[in-house]
Amino acid sequence: MFEPPTPFEIEALWLSLRVGVASLVVTAPLGLALAWLLARSAFPGKWLLEALVNLPLVLPPVVTGLVLLMVFGVRGPVGGWLRDVAGVTLAFHWTGAALAAAVMALPLVVRPIRLSIEAVDRRLEQAAATLGASPLRVFTSVTLPLLAPGIAAGAFLGFARAFGEFGATVTFAGSIPGETQTLPVAIYTALQRTDGEDAAVRLAVLSVAVSILALLVVEWFNRRVRARGLSL
């Protein structure tokens, strides 16, 4: 008989949601800026920036976590500086889990937004500018609404990737119950126990439910956008 989730399992769910939202707060504006830069600008070394953005897609997540540990760990150049100057420690902390998730999710945020930017009809922007709209007004009233479906798709993919991140998270942040043991890490930990199969199934059901809910929210948003005539 299926048992309800335990308080420990609910805690892992909330931690995953916290990590996913924190990751999205970082990746959404950064992803929009990078997508705009890659889609609308030409500069030396653009190929290198594009390669760096997409690197987490091809690197094993454990390698990404190891790089983060070397850079942002207490003995790393950035992590040591943050600890000494700001008193902030990322490694083996929930903020470290959010950072690892953000790094892994960033390419999936950038790509759909970049495709949306490249699909925007520049003549619409030029027409608005000809009518006297400032560059900021053109962006907020013309470009941004046209990008809304792409931004929503990128945000959903980024959140889903961050919510389900395992390899980089467990390498950089560890598996500390209540601190860094997110839902995927908790599932893996449960499967290591001889009596943990039921717990793993319950955690997997929670993960699927959250993913479906996020998908429904994005679909609702896209329907609203299309109903207002702003879809690409």
Side-chain angles (χ1 to χ4, degrees):
M1 183 177 179
F2 186 79
E3 298 179 0
T6 66
F8 167 77
E9 293 161 2
I10 295 296
E11 185 178 43
L13 171 62
W14 281 115
L15 180 59
S16 289
L17 292 172
R18 187 181 183 186
V19 166
V21 171
S23 169
L24 187 58
V25 168
V26 174
T27 56
L30 180 59
L32 177 58
L34 287 172
W36 188 273
L37 188 63
L38 292 172
R40 292 288 180 91
S41 302
F43 53 90
K46 180 179 177 180
W47 65 270
L48 180 59
L49 176 61
E50 189 166 1
L52 290 174
V53 169
N54 292 311
L55 193 59
L57 290 177
V58 295
L59 278 180
V62 174
V63 174
T64 302
L66 179 60
V67 172
L68 289 174
L69 192 59
M70 294 172 63
V71 176
F72 292 96
V74 293
R75 296 182 181 178
V78 178
W81 180 84
L82 288 173
R83 181 195 59 185
D84 297 337
V85 175
V88 175
T89 301
L90 295 176
F92 304 104
H93 190 266
W94 83 267
T95 53
L99 174 61
V103 170
M104 296 300 298
L106 184 61
L108 298 180
V109 177
V110 171
R111 181 167 179 78
I113 299 177
R114 179 182 179 180
L115 292 176
S116 294
I117 294 172
E118 293 174 344
V120 169
D121 189 345
R122 301 290 295 272
R123 292 173 298 181
L124 297 175
E125 297 173 323
Q126 293 167 359
T130 301
L131 293 173
S134 65
L136 180 60
R137 181 68 181 273
V138 171
F139 178 77
T140 56
S141 63
V142 177
T143 310
L144 191 59
L146 292 171
L147 298 182
I151 294 174
F156 163 71
L157 289 173
F159 175 81
R161 184 67 180 88
F163 183 82
E165 167 52 31
F166 171 75
T169 299
V170 77
T171 305
F172 181 54
S175 177
I176 306 172
E179 182 65 36
T180 64
Q181 195 171 90
T182 58
L183 208 59
V185 178
I187 292 173
Y188 176 79
T189 302
L191 289 174
Q192 305 311 300
R193 306 196 311 264
T194 56
D195 61 342
E197 184 176 349
D198 290 342
V201 170
R202 288 194 298 271
L203 290 167
V205 169
L206 288 175
S207 180
V208 171
V210 171
S211 299
I212 292 176
L213 179 61
L215 180 61
L216 291 174
V217 169
V218 172
E219 180 60 26
W220 172 84
F221 174 80
N222 282 332
R223 287 178 180 272
R224 289 290 300 273
V225 169
R226 286 193 294 268
R228 293 168 60 183
L230 298 176
S231 181
L232 290 175

